Amino acid sequence: MAEKLAKTLIGMMGGLLSLSFGKQLVVFIISMLPILELRGGLIAASLLELPPVESYIIAIIGNIIPVPFILLLINKILKAMEKSRFKLFNKMHSFLHKKIMKNKGSIEKYGFWGLVLFVGIPLPGTGAWTGSIIAAFLEMDRKKAFLAIFLGMIMASIIMMIISFGFLSKVV
């Protein structure tokens, strides 16, 4: 599914590919987006045939940029969405709240390392965005949460580099 989404986004951003740094910009943008995040950025980089190390750095930078903003602002945004007169915002709040409640137990139980593992294991519904939202909701120390999310991103990026660029097939 992530590969299909990455291909779709690459197609939508096709105009950027004409720039001298267009492929890198596409990877950067995809890495910043919720849902796909770093995983989608690395898949896109592989599809665009960018060098692995360059792709790794771009995806990490793109994925880390939203984290401090989420940690600082998401609780205010969630409260505003909950109280909004617009049903769409109420539904979005309900969706996010359910996602937070579903995953908060394991993070609360294991704290810092729970957040590292939550972000670091590249499964659907995990990642820096969700980890940041949960950390903010649980009112974790922002510096510790940022470090945990960053470590989780490093872990997820290594796993995704192996998958996206086929390092296993080259070694075995």
Side-chain angles (χ1 to χ4, degrees):
M1 181 177 114
E3 185 173 340
K4 190 173 182 179
L5 277 171
K7 283 181 180 179
T8 301
L9 287 171
I10 290 169
M12 289 171 61
M13 294 187 250
L16 295 175
L17 297 176
S18 63
L19 300 171
S20 60
F21 56 90
K23 291 179 180 181
Q24 293 84 349
L25 185 57
V26 168
V27 171
F28 179 77
I29 291 169
I30 291 173
S31 296
M32 287 180 69
L33 296 175
I35 301 170
L36 283 179
E37 300 188 35
L38 173 123
R39 289 160 260 209
L42 289 174
I43 290 169
S46 175
L47 293 170
L48 293 168
E49 299 178 354
L50 285 172
V53 174
E54 178 183 347
S55 304
Y56 183 85
I57 293 166
I58 294 167
I60 291 282
I61 293 169
N63 197 210
I64 200 70
I65 287 175
V67 171
F69 298 103
I70 297 167
L71 290 171
L72 290 170
L73 302 172
I74 197 65
N75 285 331
K76 291 176 185 173
I77 293 169
L78 286 172
K79 286 177 186 168
M81 290 170 74
E82 181 181 31
K83 295 175 182 177
S84 175
R85 292 181 290 152
F86 298 103
K87 290 187 184 211
L88 174 65
F89 291 136
N90 299 137
K91 288 180 182 179
M92 288 173 59
H93 173 269
S94 294
F95 170 78
L96 289 171
H97 192 265
K98 285 178 189 173
K99 191 163 199 66
I100 291 166
M101 298 311 285
K102 176 184 166 194
N103 295 297
K104 81 172 197 160
S106 59
I107 293 176
E108 273 183 326
K109 183 177 179 181
Y110 299 107
F112 179 87
W113 293 109
L115 186 56
V116 170
L117 288 174
F118 180 82
V119 174
I121 298 173
L123 296 171
T126 67
W129 276 78
T130 309
S132 298
I133 292 169
I134 294 170
F137 181 81
L138 296 176
E139 297 180 0
M140 293 177 75
D141 177 82
R142 289 185 185 126
K143 290 178 185 175
K144 286 183 181 178
F146 184 86
L147 179 60
I149 292 162
F150 181 73
L151 291 174
M153 284 175 44
I154 298 297
M155 187 174 139
S157 62
I158 291 168
I159 293 167
M160 287 309 300
M161 287 291 288
I162 291 168
I163 294 169
S164 299
F165 286 89
F167 288 148
L168 284 180
S169 63
K170 294 175 185 173
V171 174
V172 176

